[in-house]
Amino acid sequence: DALPISPLSVSRCRRWKPPPVAFALKKNTNLKPPPSSSFLSKAEFDLLSLRSWRRETLFRYSTANQSEPLRIFIFLTLTLCFLFSFAIADAVGAPPPEPVLPLASVGTFGLFWRERSRRTRRLLRLERECLVADLSIIARRNVVVGGQRETTVRSLRKERRLVAVAAPAEVLARVEAGQLLPLRRRLEAAKVDVVLVATDAPFFKRTKGTSVCDPADPDAWRRAFDELLSADPAWGSGGSSGGSEEGNKTDDDAVATTTAFFALGFDGRSCASAATVPNFLELLGANFPPLNFQGAGAPVDAEPGLPEQAAFYDALTNGDLAKMETLFGQVDDADVDAVLDAGGRLDPWTSQLRDDNRPSTLVVTDADVAFADDGLSATTTAVEATDDQGKTLLAVQRWTRQDDHWRLLSHATVPFAPNVAAGALLRCDHRGCVLLVNARQQ
C-alpha cells in the first residue's frame, strides 16, 4: 500500500531550496592548496636509501621513475624469501625446500643492491639540480625572465638554458674573450645564459660585448661547486661532457681541482658537466641546438667577417690547394693533436679538396668576427648550408696576425639546426682534418 502524502507535505517539498553557494564553498575550504616552494624544500626521510632528501627531489623522481622502486622491493622480497625459505616452510607446514634455494638469495640481493644504487645516484643528481635551482643570477641581457634583472635559476626553466663555469679569474677571462665573445650571437639563438663564478677572486675583468650573467651571491655559487666537485661522479653522468682544454692551460696544478662546469636544459636537468672548462662549440652542437634560427640564405644583419674568411671558403669550394696552404699558419692545433694521440685518422687537404670530396655547393652566410683586445688574434664564425633541406653547420675559425697578414690556425664545424643534435665534429688545421663521431649515433 502506498503511503498517504498530504498536500502540506508536497507543498513543503516544492518549497525546498539547495543551500547557498557561499555555504557550499565554505564547507570545502578544508581542501589542501598545491605544494609551495617552502613545502618542497623540506627534507623527508627515504627508506630505500636510508637518508633524507628534499621533497622536490623525491617528487621529481617518482614522476619519472615509477617502476624502479617496485623492482627494488621485488628483489628485496625475493632475497628475504630465499634466505629464510626453510623457516617459512616450517612455519606453514610445507616440505623443506631445495638446499640450493638459500644460495639464490645472493643473486637476488645483488640485483637489489644494483637497482638501489642506481636509484640513489639518480636521487643524488636530482638533489643537486634542486640545490642549483635555488641559486640566483644577475642577467646582463636587456630582457630577462619576468622583466627583472636578478632572478633564480629555477625561474629560467622553460625559458632559458644555462651553463655555469667555476674557475680562477684568469681562466674565466680567457673563456669569455676566446669563446663567449665569438659565439655570443649563437648562444642567444640557442637561448643559453652563461654564468661565470671566479673561485679565487670576488670579481674579474670582464670582456665588452658579451651578455654573461653574474652570480648574485658568489659565495653560494662557490659552495655549490665545492659540493659538486667533492661528491661522486653521478652529477651530469647522463650527458656529454663537452669539456675542453682551451682556456684551462696554466702552470698552476691547483686549477684542475678548482675548475668545473655544468649545463642545464629547459627542464632544469643537467645535460653536461666536467671538471674542466667547457667547449661551447661542442655544447651548442650536442646539447643546445638553436631555436630562433633563420638558417642559410635568410637575410641577416651581421657585421662582416674577415676577407681571409671569404678566401678560405673560396679555396674550400673550388679545391684550390695552393691558396689554402697560403692561408694556414704552420702551427699544429692542440685539439687535432689530441685526436691523433688517441688513434684518430687525419685526412690531408689534398684529400679534402679533391673534386669528388670537396663541398663545391656549400653556401656560407651569417658571417661574424670577434677581435682580441691586442689585435693579434681573431675568431670568425659562419653558418654553412650543406643542402637545400635546412641542414646547416656552425663553423668557427681561429686566426692569428703574422707579418701583417691573418693566418688561419684552426677550423671546426658542428651541426647547428633546430631539433638536430650533433652526430659529428670536424676539426682542421694546416695538416688536414679529423672527424669525431658520436658513439651513440654510429
Side-chain angles (χ1 to χ4, degrees), residues 326-339:
T326 59
L327 287 172
F328 268 101
Q330 300 303 307
V331 179
D332 295 346
D333 181 64
D335 292 325
V336 176
D337 286 338
V339 176

Side-chain angles (χ1 to χ4, degrees), residues 328 331-334 336-337 340 346-349 429-433:
F328 268 101
V331 179
D332 295 346
D333 181 64
V336 176
D337 286 338
L340 297 178
L346 176 74
D347 290 334
W349 284 108
D429 65 1
H430 69 100
R431 295 167 293 180
C433 299

